[in-house]
Amino acid sequence: MQSLLVLILLAPLAGAATALLPAPPGLRGRSPEHAVLRHGVLVSGVVLAAAIALALGFDRHHASTMQATTDASWIAAMHIRIHLGIDGISLPLLLLTALLSFLCALHSYFKPPEGPHAKGFVALLLLLESGTLATFAVLDLILFFLAFETVLIPMYFLIARWGGGEGVPGGRQAAAWKFVLYTVLGSVIMLLGLLLIGLRSGTFDMVALATDNGRGLSESVQVIAVLAIGLGLAVKTPMWPLHSWLPDAHTAAPTVGSVLLAGVLLKMGTYGFVRIVLPIAPHGMRTFAPYLAAFGVAGIIYGSLACLALVRRGAGGDLKRLIAYSSVGHMGFVLLGIATMTPTGVNGALFANVAHGLITGLLFFLVGAVKDRYGTADLDTLAGATGAALYGRAPRLGGLLAFAAVASLGLPGLAGFWGEMLTMFGAFHPAHALSRPAFLVFMSAAATGTLLTAAYLLTVVRRVCMGALSDETGLVAPAGAGAPGAAPGAGAPGAPAGAGAPPAPLPSLPDVRGHEFAAWSPLVALTVLAGLWPAALLGLSDPAVHRLLAGGGS
């Protein structure tokens, strides 16, 4: 178990370094670029296999205890240790990261990235995976910060060099810089809070600090630390109003960049709230919990209204941008659940984290496929081009898009439902020190957000998958569509010449290809499994959440 976790963290790092080396002649395949893309699939596949083996060996009966641990001194003068381990909170996020990274590598192998040097692309993808995996496995505050920051450079270059600039003010370079500047500024403030906790308590060990449960820190220190750390984590989440980097980054990023950004990078911020802020500084968290809930709920409403504005006909909304704004709303539910400081709410937040990664990862894969076929993700263009539509021209692709949309809106029986429901249950009965009337207001606003979410996602399905041709394109109805009893071949009264002839049939589109099915089917299956069997996730997280909130180490 211990060696498996070390392999999971080091294999992508070693793979990123070897991706930059020349491929041996016998392994080049069709070309050197083909070889390095295959290398990315192989390395990420090994990591996924090791993560599955780690999960199979995980003791579910002691999910609150840190397992597969490594603890060795690194910088003795500062009491910084290489401390690794997983419990029921971090294991699902570790598996999600390994899965999405492998699926992204597989997607890139069959559809090579457009841009320079596949070697650099694969190396950055693996470096990104390594940093994200480490964030969920390290148990030292300084190591957490280093892993947290590792992902910035690869994501910057993925957006700036392999992204697309259409629909983004200033182009992909501006979107990449905006992403880096926001997250670096937030991280600097977060580092000050981490240092304050470590220096005042005499240790950076997250397990020891969680066991102490803030008893070694004064209330004023906790308040300052939570404010600093919370700001850094809120930028990465992202929490309204610190979210404005996200829509541009998603719109400009390549498909795999959007999948990883939404699927795993956003989870690093909310994971930090659960792993660091809740157990280490509970008094400070209670001070800011109502504000965190308020900003989370504001994000739910704001994200939904922004999506409704984008989906309107004539608004020129981009489908990738719409999903990015929907992520602001969905992560608002996660923040609301954490802010309740109850086992029910925090379990709901962790469940919603994983569900959002599965569903939104699938959505970005699907939108990437639609964009590949049409050359655009503009909703007005898609609706005009597909009309009645994606169901008629690529039925499997249309069906999958509709499935992902209804999963995202929280349809019962799918993964998106349980997280949102549990966070609202947590808000109905928040922690005793919190104002219940205020949280009832937050719960009501969040429930309104679910209705708005359903409105814009069903409108997306209506326009892109099943909109009538005459509604969007202005094509004349076919023969016989005029007044009842009209002679065969006669058009509607007053129709222009030639209106009696049916319009030329729209050309068919490539439906779901084999490699696309391979990349998407695990996400579909897990979305259904998590919806029908939520105990698979809740059974892991619930004991660990109870222990963290009670001040128990792992």
Side-chain angles (χ1 to χ4, degrees):
M1 290 278 287
Q2 178 184 5
S3 57
L4 275 176
L5 184 58
V6 173
L7 171 66
I8 288 168
L9 300 185
L10 294 183
L13 203 57
T18 53
L20 300 175
L21 301 176
L27 297 178
R28 286 182 182 172
R30 295 192 298 269
S31 68
E33 290 201 351
H34 177 260
V36 76
L37 292 170
R38 184 178 57 205
H39 170 79
V41 176
L42 177 63
V43 173
S44 58
V46 168
V47 173
L48 176 59
I52 293 172
L54 184 67
L56 293 175
F58 186 82
D59 186 357
R60 293 178 62 93
H61 299 294
H62 297 88
S64 63
T65 302
M66 285 294 171
Q67 302 179 35
T69 56
T70 297
D71 192 2
S73 178
W74 183 33
I75 305 176
M78 294 184 63
H79 307 288
I80 299 174
R81 307 182 66 82
I82 298 177
H83 193 182
L84 311 174
I86 55 166
D87 63 357
I89 292 173
S90 52
L91 179 61
L93 294 171
L94 199 79
L95 285 168
L96 177 66
T97 302
L99 174 64
L100 288 178
S101 298
F102 172 71
L103 297 182
C104 286
L106 188 66
H107 177 274
S108 301
Y109 177 77
F110 287 99
K111 191 182 185 306
E114 297 179 3
H117 310 303
K119 283 187 175 184
F121 180 87
V122 171
L124 292 169
L125 206 61
L126 293 174
L127 180 61
L128 183 66
E129 180 183 18
S130 179
T132 310
L133 289 168
T135 302
F136 300 135
V138 298
L139 298 173
D140 183 276
L141 292 178
I142 300 302
L143 285 182
F144 176 86
F145 173 78
L146 294 176
F148 197 85
E149 294 304 287
T150 299
V151 304
L152 298 185
I153 300 302
M155 183 53 72
Y156 166 81
F157 282 108
L158 286 174
I159 296 172
R161 302 202 68 182
W162 285 275
E166 62 275 7
V168 181
R172 61 189 184 187
Q173 295 283 349
W177 274 113
K178 195 173 185 180
F179 162 75
V180 167
L181 291 175
Y182 266 76
T183 50
V184 166
L185 180 60
S187 298
V188 169
I189 299 172
M190 181 179 73
L191 178 60
L192 297 176
L194 297 176
L195 291 173
L196 177 62
I197 287 177
L199 296 175
R200 285 301 183 98
S201 62
T203 180
F204 290 98
D205 188 271
M206 292 158 67
V207 175
L209 289 166
T211 303
D212 188 64
N213 201 220
R215 287 183 286 270
L217 300 170
S218 67
E219 190 164 343
S220 59
V221 168
Q222 290 191 39
V223 169
I224 296 170
V226 169
L227 179 60
I229 297 171
L231 281 173
L233 296 174
V235 171
K236 186 65 71 72
T237 297
M239 180 185 76
W240 181 91
L242 305 174
H243 69 284
S244 60
W245 61 268
L246 184 68
D248 286 348
H250 268 309
T251 306
T255 296
V256 296
S258 291
V259 170
L260 292 175
L261 181 58
V264 293
L265 263 66
L266 302 189
K267 314 303 176 283
M268 295 164 64
T270 51
Y271 174 79
F273 276 108
V274 175
R275 177 65 72 195
I276 299 173
V277 177
L278 271 176
I280 295 176
H283 294 294
M285 182 64 188
R286 277 194 289 271
T287 300
F288 287 106
Y291 303 101
L292 183 65
F295 283 123
V297 168
I300 295 172
I301 301 299
Y302 172 83
S304 300
L305 293 177
C307 290
L308 284 171
L310 288 172
V311 82
R312 286 185 303 109
R313 189 183 306 176
D318 185 277
L319 194 49
K320 290 185 72 176
R321 198 173 192 86
L322 181 142
I323 298 172
Y325 275 111
S326 77
S327 292
V328 176
H330 288 302
M331 299 312 290
F333 278 99
V334 178
L335 293 174
L336 175 61
I338 294 170
T340 66
M341 299 185 69
T342 62
T344 300
V346 176
N347 274 305
L350 293 171
F351 197 102
N353 250 350
V354 176
H356 178 264
L358 295 172
I359 297 168
T360 309
L362 177 61
L363 275 170
F364 276 115
F365 271 133
L366 291 166
V367 172
V370 171
K371 188 174 181 179
D372 289 340
R373 286 156 171 80
Y374 288 101
T376 182
D378 178 77
L379 272 166
D380 288 331
T381 305
L382 288 175
T386 62
L390 211 50
Y391 282 162
R393 302 178 68 187
R396 293 182 183 86
L397 182 59
L400 282 171
L401 182 61
F403 169 84
V406 297
S408 185
L409 64 83
L411 184 73
L414 299 176
F417 170 74
W418 295 104
E420 295 182 0
M421 185 191 71
L422 289 173
T423 57
M424 287 190 282
F425 278 176
F428 188 72
H429 281 297
H432 295 299
L434 302 177
S435 168
R436 188 166 185 243
F439 273 83
L440 289 176
V441 172
F442 299 148
M443 183 196 71
S444 301
T448 303
T450 62
L451 301 178
L452 297 176
T453 300
Y456 70 74
L457 285 171
L458 292 177
T459 304
V460 167
V461 174
R462 154 68 179 81
R463 296 195 69 201
V464 177
C465 294
M466 25 182 230
L469 285 171
S470 57
D471 286 347
E472 306 288 353
T473 64
L475 293 178
V476 179
L506 293 170
S508 62
L509 290 173
D511 213 334
V512 178
R513 302 180 175 97
H515 71 274
E516 292 173 331
F517 179 79
W520 304 341
S521 56
L523 301 178
V524 173
L526 290 171
T527 298
V528 175
L529 179 64
L532 297 178
W533 188 30
L537 279 177
L538 295 175
L540 285 172
S541 65
D542 188 54
V545 167
H546 274 87
R547 188 164 185 171
L548 278 182
L549 292 177
S554 296

